[in-house]
Amino acid sequence: MKKLFVTTILAVGLFFKSFADEGMWLPMLLGQQVYNEMVKKGLKLTKDQLYNINKPSLKDAIIIFGGGCTGEIVSSQGLIFTNHHCGYDAIASASNMDHNYLQNGFYAKNKGEEIPSNLSVQFLLRIEDITKEVMDSLKGLSGTERLQKQAAVFAAINKRMSDASQNIETRVNSLFKGNQFLAFVYQRYTDVRLVGAPPESVGKFGGDTDNWEWPRHTGDFSIFRVYTNAEGKPAKYAEGNIPLKPKWYLPVSLKPLKDGDFSMIWGYPGGTNRYESSYGVQLAIDINNPTLVKLRDVRLKYMFEEMKKDPATKLQLASSYAGIANYWKFFDGETKQLVKYDVVGQKKNAEIKFNAWANGKTEYASVFSDWGKAYEAWRPYAKHRVYINEGLNGSPLIAFAGSLLQLEAALVKTGATQADIKKSVEAANNQRTAFLEEENKVSDEHIVAAVTKMFYEDIVKDQQPVGFYGTLKNTYGPLDDEATYKKYAANMFSKTMIFDDARWKAFVANPDAVTLQDDPAFAHASTFFTNYTSKYGPYYQQFTTKNAEMGRMYLKGILEMDPVKSKMMYPDATFTMRVSYGNVKSYRPRDAVFYDYVTTSKGLLEKYKAGDYEFDLPANQIEMLKKKDFGQYMDPTRKELVIGFITTNDITGGNSGSPVINNKGELIGLAFDGNYEALSHKLAFDKDLNRTICVDIRYVLWCIDKLGGGTNIIKELKLMK
């Protein structure tokens, strides 16, 4: 009965925002009705305090951190809080075996100890609606011609609205599948320094076992600072640079949380596809997700085997492993939730209603019949594409060898100048240097062997590279024997010039196509990539063009079906600034199971396993927790240290590091994960089970102050008691 009720509600609310807490809202377009709902839930700030381009507002404290996370400014001196996993690569890059900040943690005692990084942060200056300008330029166009023209228009607007001298960058964004266009104007700062991070055992506590799970006890935070030149302008790293003086920064709350407290999350959610068709959801369930999970499982297996053996290897592969593992579990869970809640059925119900409305309307009547034909034509090749992206490119060696196809093209091009060839060779040489720094040959060799065998078993024979597996059989043995592929991979890794400095140097000095083509790693990459791009890549281009066109027409029709209700629709996440609102809230995921809204130090000690790869903790932390040495960070009601909490806010990847803010605009935590029961959130929001997992700011401050001795950092903050 409950499942039927949920399905019905989701189908009705599939397009129009009809229940609380769903929605990633553009702050510029925060309508009065949505704002009023926020106020009803407890918000005390005015609309101008949330977003204003003419004077400081809360949006000025929210930043794009690095290339795919969110951060927030928390002091008058440009201090940044974000997630540990967002700062992970910078922490790992700053570490070595003598100063292993990843393993042991790090807190700068003064600004002179802060460590430069290769990170940048971006502040949103303003958002401009350019829909009319773009639409006027696209009149009468469709399909490939429309997409090409749209790209050219975007490029022109981006150029016109950017100013490199001021580090101002504009990026036009397509919303509602090409039915609205906004220009987001940012200013980038490139002097970003590491200020602090907990030990990895704190920042990743629970590892893959707890990933996407609640209850959670992870201290997922790291601290950075952004610097400017003496005039307060963006500048490259220099010792004389000064901390940024922000327009707005978030005060930090030490007040206890209650079940039902208002919460809002600001940040940069990376991508959702909630207006996807039933065809797209079915393809994800049947092919895309299971294939990705299967291939990532193999990569993680062989990487983990080597990481366990050697601390240096663990440090080398840590960042890559974490990224692969994160969405391996996500896509596995997403598939299960999509099936469990019959999201395909929900989509089909909505599509039936659309078709009934579209009947007799020339512009919309054939949308779904044409869309279905496009998916039917592409479906036979979908698994092949996943194998290219997650299998072939899942091997660092093959991915690098594949990048050399550009060099090969320069070498065989008629009329290519020596300058062109030299440029391509230099690029390849630089890429090789970067590749070798991160390459672990043992795990990679296993990955190549396994993926080559899996490709033979999973991809239909008429899509396999002509002659490849016949030659492999004649040279190395039976194609159903694992040893055949191991011998093949071992030969490749032992004979490629990519690992041989002397041979590579000789090739760079006198590059020629034959030498490159004879290399076993390049030959492997070329065989598979060329087979796909020459035969099946065009099918994918045809599919994506048709898919985009039908998606645009579908959303255009939806917006016309009910113009009043369409104003309560929110666009899919596109890594642009959004705000979501909800409550701190407990939940019941299944019969007889109740999950409280917070986790505490008591549960952290219960999970602790000395020496365990995922559940170990520093000895001094265990001692302090057992003594209940919590200081001002103790929860007065529970008499414990609160570690994490959950809210009903709507987020997705890209929101990592996002501030969780109370009704007064004070920081109460950092968002870092979602719960397993609602992993279908990219395609469908679950109003009952969706929860955002957050690290409580009091645990963050306790780790900095009591565990790490970073009292200088605490003194920078505006603490609200």
Side-chain angles (χ1 to χ4, degrees):
M1 188 69 179
K2 183 177 180 181
K3 181 177 179 181
L4 176 63
F5 174 75
V6 170
T7 299
T8 303
I9 290 294
L10 284 173
V12 171
L14 196 58
F15 303 115
F16 305 123
K17 205 298 191 164
S18 59
F19 40 78
D21 307 344
E22 177 180 357
M24 303 175 191
W25 304 94
L26 286 155
M28 184 189 87
L29 302 178
L30 201 62
Q32 191 63 41
Q33 188 171 348
V34 176
Y35 175 73
N36 289 344
E37 286 188 21
M38 296 173 74
V39 171
K40 286 179 183 178
K41 280 183 170 287
L43 178 66
K44 302 299 184 185
L45 302 180
T46 66
K47 284 181 73 174
D48 274 349
Q49 286 176 306
L50 296 178
Y51 179 89
N52 194 305
I53 64 170
N54 297 315
K55 57 185 179 181
S57 59
L58 194 150
K59 68 97 174 166
D60 295 313
I62 315 303
I63 58 175
I64 295 176
F65 182 85
C69 281
T70 300
E72 52 274 359
I73 304 296
V74 294
S75 86
S76 62
Q77 300 177 60
L79 199 68
I80 299 168
F81 281 178
T82 190
N83 284 157
H84 184 267
H85 71 264
C86 294
Y88 198 87
D89 192 53
I91 301 165
S93 297
S95 300
N96 54 50
M97 294 310 295
D98 294 324
H99 300 284
N100 195 336
Y101 303 130
L102 200 60
Q103 177 177 306
N104 302 318
F106 165 79
Y107 295 100
K109 304 305 180 186
N110 55 65
K111 293 182 179 66
E113 292 184 2
E114 295 172 4
I115 302 173
S117 75
N118 292 322
L119 289 164
S120 68
V121 300
Q122 298 171 64
F123 289 82
L124 178 66
L125 301 181
R126 65 185 187 276
I127 307 170
E128 293 189 17
D129 192 332
I130 55 166
T131 302
K132 186 178 185 305
E133 178 181 352
V134 176
M135 287 296 197
D136 286 348
S137 70
L138 300 178
K139 283 182 179 178
L141 302 179
S142 62
T144 302
E145 190 179 6
R146 183 186 179 93
L147 292 177
Q148 290 174 344
K149 179 64 175 180
Q150 179 176 295
V153 172
F154 281 14
I157 296 173
N158 289 343
K159 183 178 180 180
R160 185 184 78 222
M161 296 180 65
S162 298
D163 184 352
S165 68
Q166 300 294 320
N167 276 27
I168 293 175
E169 306 171 11
T170 298
R171 294 191 288 277
V172 174
N173 208 264
S174 171
L175 303 173
F176 294 113
K177 295 188 180 292
N179 286 286
Q180 184 182 33
F181 302 93
L182 300 180
F184 293 79
V185 184
Y186 304 94
Q187 190 164 39
R188 185 186 296 270
Y189 292 77
T190 55
D191 187 353
V192 179
R193 306 180 194 181
L194 174 64
V195 175
E200 184 179 24
S201 55
V202 174
K204 287 190 66 181
F205 183 81
D208 293 331
T209 299
D210 273 5
N211 193 20
W212 303 107
E213 302 285 354
W214 181 260
R216 195 72 167 274
H217 300 80
T218 309
D220 198 346
F221 75 92
S222 58
I223 313 164
F224 292 79
R225 191 187 307 279
V226 58
Y227 283 77
T228 71
N229 63 19
E231 290 74 41
K233 303 294 185 182
K236 294 180 180 179
Y237 169 81
E239 288 188 9
N241 284 351
I242 62 173
L244 171 85
K245 296 178 181 178
K247 297 176 183 177
W248 192 285
Y249 65 91
L250 301 178
V252 179
S253 173
L254 295 181
K255 291 169 279 191
L257 300 175
K258 300 188 298 294
D259 205 351
D261 277 354
F262 175 85
S263 61
M264 61 178 172
I265 293 178
W266 288 67
Y268 285 85
T272 55
N273 196 12
R274 292 182 183 167
Y275 304 111
E276 176 64 285
S277 67
S278 60
Y279 307 120
V281 177
Q282 193 70 62
L283 188 68
I285 291 171
D286 293 345
I287 297 175
N288 290 350
N289 287 7
T291 308
L292 179 148
V293 169
K294 182 177 181 179
L295 288 165
R296 288 200 174 196
D297 192 41
V298 169
R299 293 159 66 188
L300 292 169
K301 171 187 173 183
Y302 291 120
M303 292 172 73
F304 189 62
E305 285 180 359
E306 299 310 309
M307 291 169 70
K308 289 190 298 183
K309 296 176 184 177
D310 177 35
T313 301
K314 180 183 176 184
L315 186 62
Q316 177 194 35
L317 295 178
S319 183
S320 177
Y321 183 90
I324 297 167
N326 190 37
Y327 275 92
W328 161 77
K329 189 170 185 177
F330 172 86
F331 283 110
D332 180 57
E334 179 185 70
T335 304
K336 292 174 182 175
Q337 303 309 321
L338 291 173
V339 172
K340 182 177 181 180
Y341 295 108
D342 188 25
V343 173
V344 171
Q346 296 171 36
K347 297 286 186 181
K348 286 182 176 179
N349 288 339
E351 291 162 8
I352 289 171
K353 294 177 182 178
F354 177 86
N355 284 332
W357 171 84
N359 187 36
K361 296 179 176 67
T362 305
E363 190 173 14
Y364 302 112
S366 65
V367 165
F368 274 94
S369 61
D370 291 345
W371 213 347
K373 291 173 185 176
Y375 269 94
E376 184 180 355
W378 168 246
R379 188 179 173 93
Y381 313 106
K383 184 182 289 188
H384 193 155
R385 178 171 172 78
V386 180
Y387 258 85
I388 292 296
N389 290 337
E390 293 287 339
L392 274 296
N393 277 318
S395 158
L397 174 63
I398 302 308
F400 169 69
S403 73
L404 298 178
L405 285 163
Q406 295 178 339
L407 175 56
E408 181 197 34
L411 291 172
V412 301
K413 182 180 178 181
T414 303
T417 66
Q418 286 301 310
D420 291 338
I421 294 173
K422 182 180 179 181
K423 184 178 179 180
S424 296
V425 170
E426 288 176 350
N429 198 39
N430 291 334
Q431 290 170 353
R432 175 180 179 266
T433 300
F435 155 71
L436 290 176
E437 288 177 357
E438 299 183 3
E439 169 70 343
N440 178 264
K441 291 173 66 175
V442 177
S443 61
D444 199 2
E445 185 176 317
H446 285 305
I447 291 169
V448 170
V451 169
T452 306
K453 183 173 187 288
M454 292 167 67
F455 191 101
Y456 172 72
E457 295 169 341
D458 282 0
I459 302 302
V460 294
K461 299 298 184 286
D462 62 1
Q463 290 182 33
Q464 293 174 5
V466 175
F468 175 83
Y469 284 99
T471 301
L472 186 67
K473 178 181 179 180
N474 293 336
T475 308
Y476 295 99
L479 295 177
D480 59 354
D481 188 350
E482 188 176 327
T484 298
Y485 301 91
K486 288 183 176 180
K487 286 185 286 185
Y488 170 72
N491 179 74
M492 179 195 301
F493 275 70
S494 67
K495 293 184 178 180
T496 178
M497 66 177 173
I498 293 171
F499 292 128
D500 189 323
D501 288 340
R503 290 170 58 209
W504 178 264
K505 186 176 180 180
F507 171 73
V508 167
N510 187 26
D512 72 282
V514 174
T515 300
L516 180 60
Q517 292 162 352
D518 285 344
D519 184 87
F522 177 81
H524 182 92
S526 178
T527 295
F528 282 88
F529 291 143
T530 303
N531 176 63
Y532 174 80
T533 56
S534 63
K535 297 179 181 178
Y536 311 110
Y539 295 155
Y540 183 68
Q541 292 301 319
Q542 293 168 16
F543 166 70
T544 55
T545 299
K546 195 68 175 180
N547 191 34
E549 181 69 11
M550 294 302 99
R552 180 179 68 84
M553 295 305 300
Y554 182 34
L555 261 292
K556 184 181 179 185
I558 289 295
L559 294 168
E560 288 182 18
M561 278 175 66
D562 192 328
V564 176
K565 286 186 176 180
S566 71
K567 293 179 180 179
M568 288 297 292
M569 289 175 64
Y570 60 91
D572 271 318
T574 55
F575 200 57
T576 49
M577 183 181 284
R578 305 296 178 92
V579 56
S580 68
Y581 62 92
N583 300 93
V584 175
K585 194 172 183 180
S586 54
Y587 73 112
R588 298 181 182 274
R590 52 191 177 276
D591 186 42
V593 176
F594 171 76
Y595 283 154
D596 205 352
Y597 63 96
V598 297
T599 55
T600 68
S601 48
K602 180 177 180 291
L604 183 61
L605 288 172
E606 290 170 350
K607 279 187 178 179
Y608 163 66
K609 297 178 185 177
D612 187 84
Y613 189 82
E614 296 180 312
F615 294 97
D616 197 9
L617 284 169
N620 62 331
Q621 179 170 2
I622 297 300
E623 182 181 352
M624 294 174 73
L625 292 177
K626 287 181 176 179
K627 290 181 178 179
K628 297 200 171 186
D629 184 4
F630 304 143
Q632 65 178 329
Y633 312 111
M634 182 183 72
D635 187 274
T637 303
R638 296 174 182 262
K639 307 300 181 185
E640 294 282 352
L641 181 64
V642 172
I643 306 299
F645 63 94
I646 48 175
T647 74
T648 60
N649 291 83
D650 191 0
I651 69 165
T652 191
N655 272 120
S656 290
S658 285
V660 190
I661 302 170
N662 66 15
N663 61 347
K664 296 181 179 178
E666 301 163 352
L667 184 67
I668 59 175
L670 310 180
F672 72 91
D673 212 353
N675 60 324
Y676 194 80
E677 294 88 356
L679 283 185
S680 60
H681 67 259
K682 283 185 177 292
L683 293 166
F685 182 87
D686 190 306
K687 74 178 185 67
D688 295 316
L689 296 179
N690 184 82
R691 292 296 182 273
T692 291
I693 300 174
C694 318
V695 57
D696 193 288
I697 200 62
R698 292 167 292 174
Y699 182 49
V700 171
L701 301 185
W702 182 85
C703 288
I704 296 169
D705 187 1
K706 306 288 284 185
L707 187 61
T711 55
N712 55 305
I713 298 171
I714 302 296
K715 289 177 181 178
E716 271 194 54
L717 307 174
K718 183 179 180 181
L719 300 180
M720 309 301 291
K721 300 182 180 180

